[in-house]
Amino acid sequence: DQQVKQNSPSLSVQEGRISILNCDYTNSMFDYFLWYKKYPAEGPTFLISISSIKDKNEDGRFTVFLNKSAKHLSLHIVPSQPGDSAVYFCAANVYGTASKLTFGTGTRLQVTL
Amino acid sequence: NAGVTQTPKFRILKIGQSMTLQCTQDMNHNYMYWYRQDPGMGLKLIYYSVGAGITDKGEVPNGYNVSRSTTEDFPLRLELAAPSQTSVYFCATRQGANYGYTFGSGTRLTVV
């Protein structure tokens, strides 16, 4: 049972344009959501997060939107840069469960020149 | 500041062999986790620990064991390696509920 789903395995975007990565979840108990970025041969690195009490969080070029009624979140990267090319994982946790994260399968973003 | 250190980075095992994947952190975080990532898949939780002396199973614990004798170290043991355990293994720590994980750089394990 895949509780966190990233239905797009890959995405290609031109440099300078907006990248939108999507994530859906099924567990209504999730209360905290995170995005991770992963380069080849490295561990994932934390990018941005959002609590379920908010619907938007911004950090520089990165914005995460949360739509609880649709159980959907998205990561917007504006403007996209070649260095953003990586695999992006969406993750979620339930409060009080030892902070265990459930991860999606990832979306590979390629930013082209 | 090393963060989370995993050793070895690569390993090839024969079926039935055993090995220990090492994970050490210097951030004094209580929470530690072991995940595996199979090709094209997300990260699956193997085991986790909320503090020294406390461990618990995650989603895919079969074939693995862990121990947590100190805050810093959280080794993962494979007793009888099987081809299904071919994967990339990541160790991670977390400061608390509303913080992100800090991951190690991973161990790529191949069982032949």
Side-chain angles (χ1 to χ4, degrees):
Chain A
D1 176 30
Q2 191 72 28
Q3 297 187 61
V4 178
K5 301 176 185 178
Q6 294 177 255
N7 293 317
S8 298
S10 63
L11 175 67
S12 183
V13 172
Q14 271 191 321
E15 182 181 11
R17 308 292 285 266
I18 183 171
S19 295
I20 300 176
L21 293 90
N22 293 304
C23 178
D24 297 296
Y25 61 95
T26 58
N27 188 343
S28 58
M29 299 297 290
F30 286 144
D31 66 338
Y32 195 68
F33 303 89
L34 308 92
W35 284 94
Y36 282 82
K37 176 179 180 179
K38 186 182 179 306
Y39 293 118
E42 294 183 10
T45 55
F46 171 68
L47 195 56
I48 192 170
S49 63
I50 187 167
S51 165
S52 60
I53 62 173
K54 296 185 175 181
D55 55 18
K56 178 182 174 181
N57 189 29
E58 281 183 87
D59 184 2
R61 297 186 296 113
F62 302 92
T63 303
V64 56
F65 296 92
L66 176 62
N67 182 334
K68 289 188 290 293
S69 61
K71 294 191 177 68
H72 177 83
L73 64 156
S74 60
L75 174 68
H76 292 210
I77 306 173
V78 184
S80 300
Q81 299 174 353
D84 296 329
S85 297
V87 177
Y88 290 78
F89 291 98
C90 171
N93 77 224
V94 176
Y95 180 79
T97 59
S99 302
K100 296 177 290 182
L101 290 179
T102 300
F103 285 84
T105 53
T107 296
R108 182 178 302 277
L109 173 65
Q110 183 174 8
V111 180
T112 59
L113 298 175
Chain B
N1 191 352
V4 179
T5 302
Q6 289 185 240
T7 56
K9 292 192 181 303
F10 304 94
R11 183 72 185 267
I12 298 175
L13 275 184
K14 293 185 177 178
I15 294 171
Q17 287 185 322
S18 62
M19 76 165 293
T20 300
L21 283 68
Q22 302 290 346
C23 176
T24 300
Q25 55 111 349
D26 62 1
M27 296 176 290
N28 202 34
H29 290 174
N30 284 325
Y31 298 108
M32 295 190 75
Y33 310 85
W34 274 105
Y35 282 84
R36 59 178 284 175
Q37 184 191 12
D38 299 328
M41 304 294 288
L43 284 78
K44 302 285 188 184
L45 181 64
I46 306 170
Y47 270 94
Y48 66 98
S49 170
V50 300
I54 306 170
T55 63
D56 207 347
K57 296 177 180 178
E59 186 180 355
V60 289
N62 291 343
Y64 307 94
N65 276 300
V66 293
S67 60
R68 185 92 182 273
S69 57
T70 66
T71 299
E72 295 77 21
D73 299 305
F74 190 40
L76 178 71
R77 179 83 178 160
L78 283 73
E79 289 295 348
L80 290 170
S84 61
Q85 293 177 304
T86 293
S87 190
V88 181
Y89 292 83
F90 291 103
C91 178
T93 73
R94 195 175 192 187
Q95 184 175 349
N98 286 350
Y99 292 87
Y101 282 2
T102 300
F103 281 91
S105 57
T107 295
R108 182 175 294 275
L109 176 67
T110 302
V111 181
V112 295

